[in-house]
Amino acid sequence: MDIIRYRKDVWGEEVILGVSWDLLWVIAVTAFLLLAAHAIFMAALAKKKAMPSAEGKRVHRHDAIDRAFHWIMAGSVLVLIFTGIAPIIGIRVSWLNIHWIAGLVLSFVCIFHTIRALFWQDFKSMLLGPADFKEPFDESIKPGKYSFEQKGMHWAMTVLVVAVIATGITLLLHIDTPWWDRPSVDDEGTLGIWFLLHGTATLGLIAFTAIHIYFALRPEKRFYTRSMVKGWISEDELKENHDTNKWKQD
Amino acid sequence: MSSHDVMPEMSLYQPVRVEDAIGIANQFADRGWLVGGGQDTYGWLKDRAKSADALIDLKGIESMRGVKETADGIEIGALVTLTEITKDPIIAQRYPLLAQAAGRVASPQIRNVGTIAGNVSQDVRCWYYRRGLNCYRAGGNLCYADTPEGMNREHAIFNASRCVAVTPSDTGPALVALEAQMVINNASGQRVVAAEEFFVGPNLDIQNTTVLRPGDILTAVRIPSKWANAQFYFEKVADRNAWDFALVSLSAVMRVNNGVIEDSRIVVGAVQATPRRLTEVEQAVRGKARNDSTADSIGDLASRTANPLNYNHFKMPLMDNLVKRALRGQA
Amino acid sequence: MTYMHIGKDFTPPDVEAKVTGAARYAEDFKKDGMVFARLLTSPIPAGRVVSIDASAALAMPGVLGIFTADDLPEAKPPANPALAKEWVTYIGQPILAVAAESDFLAEEALSKIVVEYQRRPFVVDPLDTLVEGGPDPYPMGNTLIRNSGEAAAGTTASGTDVGRIKWSIDQVTAFRNGREPMGAEFGSEWEYGDLAAQFAACSTVIEEPFVTIGQPHHSLESRTGMAYWENGKCYFHGSLQSHTVGHNALAGMLEMDPANLVFINENTGGGFGSKIFPYPVMAVTGRFARALNRPVQLRITRDEEFYIGSARSGMQGWIKIGLKENGRVGAVDVAIINDAGSGGGGSGSSSAEHISIMFQPEAMRFRGLSLYTNTTPRGAQRGPGQNEMAAVLAPMMDKAANLAGLDRVAFRRTNAPRMDGKIGERQGGISSSYMPEAIDKAAEMFNWQQKIAQPKQISATKVRGIGVGQGFHTAGANGYDGLIRIAPDGTIYLHTGVGNLGTYSYAAVVRAAAEALQCNWDNCVVVHGNSDLNLPHSTYQGGSNTIFTETRSSHVAALDIIEKMKEIAMAEFGGSTADYSIGEERVFLTSDSSKGMSYGEAAQKAIEMGGKYSGMEYPENINATTQRSVQAMAGTGLIGVAKDLLPRSGAVPGMAIAFVEIELDKETGKFEILDYSAVAECGTVVHPQGLSQAMNGGGVWGFGMAQSERHVYDPQNGLPANVGLYQSKPPTYLDVPLNMNTVGMDMPDPQSPVGARGIGEPAQGCAVAALMSAFSDALDGHLFNRTPVTADMIVNHVAQNGFNTGNLKTNTF
């Protein structure tokens, strides 16, 4: 199994072509096994706790615009992943235009989200500090608005999405679009490195998207998913999972 | 860089039954190479631009030969040579469009061995790709032709998607015009695909020009009687009048009643990766007389949405002119 | 004059073998123990070889060795090296050869060799290196300069170096835009007459830019060679268009005594100028065989032939032409940039000579510059310089004539060279010219007046184009040797060192000897193609040269042998040689024909008499090659041998005029040639079928040059687009007219004993010129100012979409 694919460039010199798509299967199988193991562990071994009630007073968690951002981002990431891997796994779909348009959508919503988070939201609530790292090991410590896992997921996704966007836009500059024609490529090795980074980031994004979806669907986390749809969690869910002193309501 | 004159080592299989050929093709999957006339085989393999573990020579399969009449038209065996098509009395009488198209392929020597299946299945002729460069179509990261300085006179003006190569087939557009059906066999059985769906552009599959997958064998081409004895127009413009690929070709069939075009199918070759059907033109001329006036009224409808590269703008007026000639019925 | 052989058709001895396929070419020869060599070539357009790791290849069983530039004398730029190392200057340039027990193994071994390169900037368009700041094809510059240095041993170039010439952006821009590049530096320049005064006296003056794109030779027989060494001798099966004239050069490349080189080359599958002399890769074949001490066949593939098989130089130029009221061309000022590829050079001066002889301007200036590019090396290709100039000049001269209100043919006749015609810089004379008469004859054949009176519009989409064009090439030399042997059985062996390109001129020229000997052709054997068969020092087989030059040397050899036969007869029957005649293959007393002897009997006597008669002695002035041949044959018959010292002065012009009528489809850019008529002004016709073949073959090539053949290079990466034969697009039989009407003027040149001049090159020049002229005429005088004119250019022009390539770009679509 290869990690990196190499090809001869126009002058016969070996250059990087991109990440090996063998890794796609490695990522898929590994993610599946880990998540399955987690599911089994949770089902068989983890301490069963009563689920907090969704009834009662509702606590606002996400503004509508943020929820919209999330789902647009989720949609564009899923479209990007599907259109990106379809030709690799042999699904015939006219993917390229959808892919880069989805990429642009993702880029715009990320810019929007960044600006909004910086200036209109409690940006600090998502910051991951040293104290957060005690949280997984001490059941008595409850998080503020976002748990350690959520912050970790957020920042992992942030890094991966930024990497995918940055490399994707670089690659976008190398294809025909309504705004520009593709240029000559002087250095195929550099182009290959961009493809390598884009592919590697994509593999990471696939893995973390799978993890994200898995946890979003887990019974004990499903109320977060609901909050991302409806905007609220119940007071019981809040008290069970969060430290209200740390969660500054917007 | 090395140049080759000697074929690489590989196994040779010479099945005499389609089922056996399918079995071998299935066994070797993408490492098997089907060969009929060999005109788009030996160069690739000799030059090491592509490779195979096994050459599956289909020429011994009698059931893939000959032109047969069917209840609704004719069935042309995949191994029927282009010369045989030009000389077949049924094709000459009912589908002269196909006979003319086959007669303009390459040279007499190549037509004598080249088959109808090979002609429609052949790979693109982009000179960068044929050189063995690792372009998009070869699994690479870029197109050398679609750049500000790329030498792309013969390339696509429509529907390029990273790759800008065009279909080189002369018979492909004719078969699309005639609403031919492509009979494909594989281990799962048989499927029949409309010629229009048979060809695949780079937006869907950048490394293949047809729907054929490893293990598939195109065994026959069926032409329905729908367009038998209809009015036809074929023209191929190439730099040379023999041994050359089209700059633009046009195949048209028309049902004309009292001088009025009741229905038509107009298909252009060498302007995109697949034969390009001009549905807008077909609609525009429906119910109009087949004459100069109708031809002139079409203007640049055929090429209006073209997106030419640096050196192939000429394909737009050339294509429009061929459409006009088809509608006039004469050069 | 009535001839016995001259002007009569005959069956050249190799025709049957050519038709049946029995004829053998270099690649057909095998030798016990022969090994197979293949080339590894450069994938980069410019740079140097940093290292070669062949260990994996050499470890393969059956792989015998590699041969690199280190095994050859160093060839400094601009010499075209057999194998490159320090100066890699084009994609496809040979880097090394590998030899193995089988050709399959040799190819496998190539894939195991790792060559590390260091890349350098590259350029594929001469104007891109000419502009200040532009990349240079060699690290040391972009053009050839002369010095007094000697060539390195075993290399072919001497007295040259690579220097640098640059123009300012303004000068290049002006040139690109069709204006004179004021104050620009050129590499060579000549002028005659008072240019300014003559232009001032002209009533019609035009200025035009022009581009002709070079094209590969693509000889059908590639440069495959096979060599082996036995007992100190090298036996070399090769492919040259000359034979003996290349012998010493090949021996020099192999650093050996020419006497020990046996060069075998009975048939040659095309050279077109690229195989006149030995080419660099031959050094690899011969030296590799010596190094391995095994017979080596170095096979050159079709695409390798594209790279190393030479190519025509392209031109980018500017011209100013002035016509006087009387229809005479008063002045011409022409500037030409030649694309010399990575080696070789352009023929700008020859291009200018074409103008000077065909239109006899009263004043003329030529300025030329040959620039290297990182494309395949260039060399002579049929009528180098002259034919590409013929192509672009014809429609420009049409324009000038039309502006002046002159009939295009009458204008050409007015300016055509007559017997007192002059040529080139020194305005030297010519051996003869019947060009005005040839123009009249061709116009009559073509029905010029009737043709131009026809309506231009043929149908709604088709228009008529009538074109006229002229071709020229210098067609003769002197000073070579003739050699004949008559055996005691009466067989007459006509030895020639001329190569056999398929023109059959090697056989046609020795018929001049048969003519002088008044002998039956069936009793003659043409001896050629193998230096072990004792060949004389003959001229290079360079198209038009052969007929003039070698009929002379054959003639003098025949005169020598006739004189000797008379002396032998005189010894037998008395009297003086003046008393003897020849006839029916006998030498006899004129007064009593019973007193005489057959040629065979004379030969027997010659053996008995020895001395000069049997070749024991020979003239001192003959070439060393001829001397060796005579020595080898001494005592085997009657030997006739002589150096051509017949009088000669001035240039020997081969000329032709052609007319073309085309039907051009403005909707597709395609055309059909309805009529093609051409007259060769080549002196006495020696071999009518050969002339017809030369005119037809040259005409077909001219059509290809006009409509489809060209180099295409991607300027992004230096890759050539038309490596394959089909991509280079020589015309097919469906691209040429079914009938081509060609004849010779058949007027004798006084400097040839049989009145003959050659015609190979002008046959192409007149055809390409006439077709280019016809394109312009069909499109109401539009000038494309470039060859070839392809269908897409015509479609673009008619559509007026402004997309035709401009700015003098070359090596591109």
Side-chain angles (χ1 to χ4, degrees):
Chain A
M1 188 191 74
D2 297 324
I3 306 294
I4 295 173
R5 290 176 298 144
Y6 295 91
R7 280 287 173 107
K8 295 278 176 67
D9 73 2
V10 68
W11 291 310
E13 215 165 277
E14 193 165 85
V15 293
I16 287 174
L17 180 69
V19 71
S20 167
W21 295 121
D22 294 345
L23 294 177
L24 184 64
W25 304 110
V26 173
I27 293 286
V29 170
T30 306
F32 177 79
L33 290 176
L34 286 176
L35 296 177
H38 182 269
I40 293 164
F41 173 79
M42 293 297 287
L45 303 171
K47 284 188 283 187
K48 302 283 190 300
K49 287 200 296 189
M51 301 267 274
S53 170
E55 303 300 320
K57 191 179 172 189
R58 292 177 177 181
V59 179
H60 180 72
R61 184 169 166 87
H62 299 300
D63 287 349
I65 194 156
D66 298 316
R67 284 179 271 143
F69 154 74
H70 173 269
W71 290 114
I72 292 171
M73 178 180 172
S76 54
V77 165
L78 290 174
V79 169
L80 281 166
I81 290 173
F82 174 73
T83 52
I85 66 171
I88 296 163
I89 61 176
I91 298 173
R92 278 179 171 148
V93 59
S94 186
W95 63 276
L96 183 64
N97 289 345
I98 303 171
H99 189 75
W100 68 257
I101 290 168
L104 285 186
V105 170
L106 178 64
S107 305
F108 288 127
V109 295
C110 285
I111 292 167
F112 164 79
H113 170 66
T114 306
I115 293 169
R116 182 170 154 74
L118 285 173
F119 299 107
W120 281 278
Q121 291 183 298
D122 178 15
F123 183 71
K124 288 179 184 167
S125 68
M126 192 53 84
L127 289 179
L128 199 55
D132 292 312
F133 287 86
K134 295 175 186 164
E135 192 185 306
F137 308 104
D138 185 345
E139 285 189 5
S140 65
I141 302 174
K142 288 186 179 174
K145 186 172 182 178
Y146 299 108
S147 68
F148 171 79
E149 293 90 343
Q150 286 167 333
K151 288 180 183 178
M153 177 59 74
H154 175 271
W155 288 114
M157 290 298 271
T158 300
V159 169
L160 291 169
V161 167
V162 167
V164 166
I165 288 173
T167 53
I169 287 174
T170 305
L171 298 180
L172 181 64
L173 297 174
H174 286 84
I175 64 168
D176 287 328
T177 69
W179 308 289
W180 62 78
D181 291 333
R182 63 181 303 268
S184 300
V185 172
D186 293 332
D187 185 351
E188 293 180 39
T190 304
L191 181 67
I193 290 170
W194 284 113
F195 269 100
L196 174 67
L197 295 174
H198 192 64
T200 307
T202 299
L203 291 174
L205 192 63
I206 290 169
F208 276 81
T209 301
I211 294 166
H212 183 58
I213 292 172
Y214 167 78
F215 281 105
L217 296 174
R218 280 209 58 82
E220 72 275 13
K221 307 281 186 193
R222 216 171 282 159
F223 68 98
Y224 286 126
T225 310
R226 187 193 62 226
S227 76
M228 195 50 82
V229 176
K230 297 183 176 177
W232 54 266
I233 61 174
S234 71
E235 201 161 38
D236 276 2
E237 289 162 344
L238 172 70
K239 287 176 179 166
E240 180 65 27
N241 293 286
H242 294 270
D243 181 341
T244 51
N245 294 324
K246 295 181 186 170
W247 183 349
K248 260 195 318 188
Q249 288 290 320
D250 294 333
Chain B
M1 195 170 82
S2 54
S3 172
H4 299 273
D5 257 3
V6 182
M7 291 295 278
E9 284 181 350
M10 62 198 140
S11 310
L12 173 65
Y13 291 83
Q14 294 180 302
V16 294
R17 299 188 315 152
V18 172
E19 306 84 73
D20 297 336
I22 290 170
I24 300 162
N26 228 26
Q27 177 194 339
F28 284 96
D30 62 355
R31 298 301 302 155
W33 188 296
L34 301 174
V35 58
Q39 299 305 291
D40 194 26
T41 293
Y42 303 122
W44 282 120
L45 300 176
K46 176 185 75 68
D47 293 339
R48 274 60 167 183
K50 293 191 176 186
S51 66
D53 293 339
L55 202 58
I56 306 162
D57 181 0
L58 304 173
K59 287 196 293 293
I61 303 175
E62 278 303 315
S63 65
M64 287 169 63
R65 294 186 178 280
V67 178
K68 292 182 289 200
E69 286 200 70
T70 63
D72 178 34
I74 60 168
E75 181 172 298
I76 304 170
L79 293 174
V80 172
T81 67
L82 297 160
T83 297
E84 287 168 341
I85 285 177
T86 62
K87 292 182 175 172
D88 185 85
I90 300 174
I91 295 174
Q93 185 194 351
R94 298 182 203 166
Y95 309 103
L97 172 70
L98 181 61
Q100 284 179 30
R104 275 303 315 274
V105 174
S107 64
Q109 293 91 333
I110 291 172
R111 293 196 292 271
N112 285 344
V113 291
T115 64
I116 183 70
N119 190 255
V120 296
S121 307
Q122 66 181 308
D123 212 336
V124 300
R125 299 281 164 175
C126 166
W127 72 267
Y128 295 97
Y129 174 58
R130 288 272 164 177
R131 199 185 158 85
L133 297 182
N134 291 306
C135 65
Y136 281 130
R137 188 167 284 279
N141 283 340
L142 73 167
C143 169
Y144 298 95
D146 181 14
T147 65
E149 293 178 302
M151 292 293 113
N152 48 34
R153 170 176 172 264
E154 283 119 28
H155 291 73
I157 55 173
F158 292 102
N159 290 336
S161 178
R162 296 168 295 152
C163 173
V164 293
V166 297
T167 173
S169 175
D170 293 324
T171 60
L175 292 175
V176 172
L178 291 166
E179 296 191 51
Q181 302 280 314
M182 319 303 269
V183 182
I184 300 165
N185 285 270
N186 61 24
S188 308
Q190 186 179 88
R191 68 185 198 275
V192 178
V193 177
E196 206 166 343
E197 310 300 324
F198 178 75
F199 298 97
V200 179
N203 59 326
L204 289 177
D205 187 344
I206 203 164
Q207 293 184 262
N208 293 286
T209 56
T210 69
V211 298
L212 295 173
R213 292 289 180 92
D216 285 346
I217 297 179
L218 175 63
T219 53
V221 175
R222 292 175 187 155
I223 304 181
S225 56
K226 180 179 176 184
W227 294 100
N229 304 311
Q231 292 192 10
F232 302 103
Y233 189 85
F234 175 82
E235 189 164 1
K236 169 181 174 178
V237 178
D239 284 320
R240 301 189 297 182
N241 294 325
W243 198 26
D244 211 347
F245 294 97
L247 294 170
V248 177
S249 74
L250 183 139
S251 293
V253 290
M254 292 177 205
R255 186 71 63 204
V256 180
N257 198 358
N258 291 327
V260 173
I261 302 168
E262 292 181 337
D263 196 7
S264 68
R265 285 171 70 91
I266 304 171
V267 186
V268 180
V271 295
Q272 61 182 37
T274 61
R276 178 177 179 81
R277 206 177 142 202
L278 305 180
T279 48
E280 278 188 72
V281 176
E282 292 168 12
Q283 286 163 14
V285 301
R286 187 167 292 134
K288 291 188 177 175
R290 190 182 186 197
N291 58 21
D292 290 358
S293 165
T294 300
D296 292 341
S297 72
I298 291 304
D300 64 351
L301 184 61
S303 70
R304 200 170 288 166
T305 58
N307 186 20
L309 307 168
N310 300 318
Y311 292 99
N312 65 359
H313 296 80
F314 75 95
K315 287 194 176 189
M316 295 170 65
L318 179 54
M319 180 180 169
D320 290 330
N321 291 342
L322 293 188
V323 171
K324 285 174 189 163
R325 290 151 90 99
L327 294 173
R328 287 200 301 259
Q330 61 184 25
Chain C
M1 184 173 176
T2 304
Y3 287 110
M4 186 175 178
H5 299 297
I6 301 300
K8 307 286 195 301
D9 284 329
F10 70 103
T11 303
D14 55 328
V15 165
E16 187 177 322
K18 293 269 174 68
V19 173
T20 60
R24 293 206 294 170
Y25 295 81
E27 191 169 325
D28 296 324
F29 290 90
K30 302 288 184 286
K31 179 77 179 164
D32 288 346
M34 188 180 89
V35 302
F36 298 82
R38 289 299 171 86
L39 293 175
L40 190 76
T41 57
S42 167
I44 62 169
R48 58 183 283 268
V49 175
V50 176
S51 65
I52 296 171
D53 180 0
S55 53
L58 293 171
M60 292 168 65
V63 174
L64 301 166
I66 67 163
F67 198 82
T68 71
D70 291 338
D71 300 308
L72 289 163
E74 186 182 19
K76 285 193 173 163
N80 182 12
L83 298 169
K85 182 182 179 186
E86 198 55 44
W87 297 282
V88 175
T89 51
Y90 64 98
I91 287 175
Q93 187 166 25
I95 301 298
L96 61 84
V98 62
E101 296 285 0
S102 75
D103 44 9
F104 181 81
L105 257 179
E107 291 195 358
E108 288 295 297
L110 288 177
S111 65
K112 302 272 194 295
I113 297 173
V114 179
V115 180
E116 185 188 347
Y117 298 94
Q118 180 187 356
R119 289 210 303 265
R120 293 187 181 124
F122 66 92
V123 61
V124 298
D125 186 324
L127 295 189
D128 290 340
T129 182
L130 183 59
V131 68
E132 56 191 1
D136 286 326
Y138 283 90
M140 56 289 261
N142 60 5
T143 190
L144 177 145
I145 53 173
R146 300 279 173 194
N147 60 37
S148 55
E150 292 293 315
T155 66
T156 53
S158 64
T160 57
D161 221 332
V162 175
R164 183 177 284 111
I165 289 181
K166 296 284 179 183
W167 288 4
S168 70
I169 292 172
D170 288 345
Q171 287 167 331
V172 172
T173 304
F175 194 61
R176 282 189 186 280
N177 291 328
R179 299 194 305 274
E180 184 182 1
M182 304 299 286
E185 181 184 0
F186 286 89
S188 59
E189 192 167 340
W190 52 257
E191 184 175 350
Y192 67 81
D194 187 338
L195 199 69
Q198 287 294 340
F199 269 122
C202 289
S203 52
T204 302
V205 176
I206 63 167
E207 276 186 73
E208 295 289 338
F210 56 88
V211 184
T212 66
I213 303 182
Q215 72 243 34
H217 289 72
H218 260 317
S219 304
L220 206 54
E221 183 196 11
S222 72
R223 260 141 246 265
T224 296
M226 193 272 276
Y228 58 94
W229 296 72
E230 271 180 6
N231 303 321
K233 278 191 156 189
C234 176
Y235 295 81
F236 200 118
H237 293 269
S239 176
L240 288 179
Q241 58 192 74
S242 309
H243 199 107
T244 47
V245 83
H247 193 100
N248 285 1
L250 179 57
M253 290 167 74
L254 303 178
E255 292 183 279
M256 65 181 296
D257 181 352
N260 291 328
L261 173 64
V262 180
F263 183 61
I264 305 136
N265 182 195
E266 194 176 338
N267 300 294
T268 298
F272 314 115
S274 71
K275 296 179 184 172
I276 292 176
F277 298 108
Y279 34 83
V281 80
M282 295 177 92
V284 180
T285 310
R287 286 169 180 264
F288 208 2
R290 181 162 55 193
L292 294 171
N293 197 24
R294 297 274 296 269
V296 168
Q297 181 196 71
L298 175 58
R299 189 194 286 168
I300 304 301
T301 65
R302 173 51 46 196
D303 49 334
E304 286 168 348
E305 181 65 19
F306 166 86
Y307 292 113
I308 66 171
S310 192
R312 183 185 290 275
S313 167
M315 297 192 296
Q316 293 156 300
W318 166 87
I319 193 169
K320 183 177 175 184
I321 302 166
L323 269 57
K324 292 184 171 177
E325 285 288 356
N326 62 3
R328 288 296 313 278
V329 175
V332 172
D333 191 4
V334 61
I336 296 172
I337 304 295
N338 272 115
D339 184 349
S342 76
S347 308
S349 185
S350 295
S351 300
E353 278 187 351
H354 170 90
I355 306 170
S356 79
I357 187 166
M358 287 287 98
F359 290 91
Q360 300 285 301
E362 293 176 32
M364 183 169 172
R365 177 170 65 165
F366 158 73
R367 287 171 291 172
L369 178 56
S370 192
L371 292 171
Y372 294 116
T373 55
N374 296 107
T375 61
T376 61
R378 310 305 169 98
Q381 185 181 105
R382 188 177 275 208
Q386 297 122 358
N387 282 353
E388 52 263 38
M389 178 50 77
V392 284
L393 187 66
M396 294 190 294
M397 283 298 187
D398 287 350
K399 178 180 177 177
N402 288 335
L403 281 173
L406 301 168
D407 174 84
R408 290 184 281 154
V409 173
F411 163 68
R412 282 171 168 83
R413 194 189 191 288
T414 300
N415 291 285
R418 288 160 169 75
M419 297 299 273
D420 60 352
K422 302 276 187 270
I423 180 169
E425 174 185 8
R426 294 185 182 83
Q427 286 293 280
I430 53 177
S431 59
S432 67
S433 169
Y434 303 94
M435 198 58 184
E437 294 83 350
I439 292 173
D440 290 343
K441 187 168 184 171
E444 190 182 331
M445 275 170 63
F446 184 68
N447 280 328
W448 167 254
Q449 292 298 344
Q450 196 181 324
K451 286 272 168 64
I452 56 169
Q454 296 174 103
K456 181 141 275 180
Q457 200 74 31
I458 296 173
S459 69
T461 63
K462 290 178 179 164
V463 290
R464 192 185 317 277
I466 309 284
V468 55
Q470 295 140 283
F472 156 76
H473 188 69
T474 48
N478 61 311
Y480 293 89
D481 300 334
L483 178 59
I484 302 167
R485 180 176 73 97
I486 300 177
D489 68 357
T491 305
I492 299 162
Y493 294 93
L494 305 170
H495 292 239
T496 175
V498 167
N500 180 12
L501 271 174
T503 63
Y504 306 117
S505 60
Y506 78 96
V509 292
V510 295
R511 283 168 66 83
E515 184 71 48
L517 286 164
Q518 295 290 297
C519 61
N520 187 337
W521 181 245
D522 291 340
N523 290 337
C524 295
V525 174
V526 184
V527 181
H528 73 112
N530 183 337
S531 51
D532 253 2
L533 296 177
N534 309 316
L535 309 180
H537 174 59
S538 301
T539 184
Y540 58 90
Q541 165 61 292
S544 304
N545 262 299
T546 320
I547 289 284
F548 178 89
T549 311
E550 286 303 319
T551 50
R552 286 168 56 114
S553 53
S554 292
H555 181 78
V556 295
L559 295 183
D560 180 62
I561 210 166
I562 290 167
E563 186 65 16
K564 285 171 178 167
M565 284 194 293
K566 287 180 177 175
E567 288 173 13
I568 291 167
M570 186 182 75
E572 184 82 12
F573 302 109
S576 72
T577 55
D579 299 330
Y580 286 84
S581 298
I582 58 165
E584 297 181 347
E585 298 181 23
R586 291 181 75 246
V587 55
F588 53 84
L589 259 175
T590 311
S591 56
D592 180 1
S593 63
S594 67
K595 289 184 175 170
M597 61 182 74
S598 70
Y599 287 180
E601 289 165 343
Q604 184 58 47
K605 289 279 184 193
I607 295 170
E608 292 160 10
M609 291 167 71
K612 67 179 182 180
Y613 302 106
S614 69
M616 295 296 184
E617 296 165 11
Y618 45 79
E620 286 182 1
N621 63 356
I622 60 171
N623 184 275
T625 300
T626 316
Q627 289 182 21
R628 282 196 302 273
S629 296
V630 174
Q631 288 163 8
M633 292 194 295
T636 62
L638 173 60
I639 304 294
V641 59
K643 178 176 180 170
D644 165 22
L645 298 173
L646 298 172
R648 191 178 87 78
S649 64
V652 183
M655 295 178 285
I657 171 109
F659 288 82
V660 166
E661 179 185 10
I662 62 167
E663 181 183 272
L664 177 70
D665 191 326
K666 292 172 80 172
E667 287 189 332
T668 61
K670 296 291 293 180
F671 66 92
E672 190 178 342
I673 297 175
L674 303 176
D675 192 359
Y676 179 77
S677 299
V679 171
E681 207 294 78
C682 59
T684 301
V685 176
V686 172
H687 181 202
Q689 285 181 331
L691 173 67
S692 173
Q693 180 185 262
M695 290 298 287
N696 288 349
V700 167
W701 201 359
F703 302 149
M705 191 174 170
Q707 66 174 308
S708 56
E709 292 192 66
R710 61 180 156 184
H711 265 142
V712 175
Y713 273 86
D714 186 331
Q716 304 165 102
N717 43 41
L719 290 178
N722 47 2
V723 174
L725 198 54
Y726 89 83
Q727 296 165 315
S728 286
K729 307 201 178 191
T732 69
Y733 68 94
L734 291 181
D735 300 304
V736 298
L738 197 59
N739 296 307
M740 295 168 70
N741 309 309
T742 62
V743 295
M745 266 307 287
D746 216 8
M747 298 291 284
D749 186 287
Q751 296 190 22
S752 162
V754 294
R757 288 192 248 110
I759 199 59
E761 295 87 348
Q764 180 190 19
C766 67
V768 63
L771 191 47
M772 293 290 292
S773 166
F775 288 146
S776 179
D777 182 56
L779 296 169
D780 302 320
H782 174 72
L783 296 185
F784 288 100
N785 299 90
R786 116 179 344 246
T787 54
V789 171
T790 48
D792 56 299
M793 290 165 62
I794 294 170
V795 170
N796 277 340
H797 166 69
V798 173
Q800 291 291 301
N801 59 11
F803 283 112
N804 273 347
T805 303
N807 277 341
L808 300 190
K809 274 187 183 176
T810 191
N811 300 328
T812 184
F813 289 127

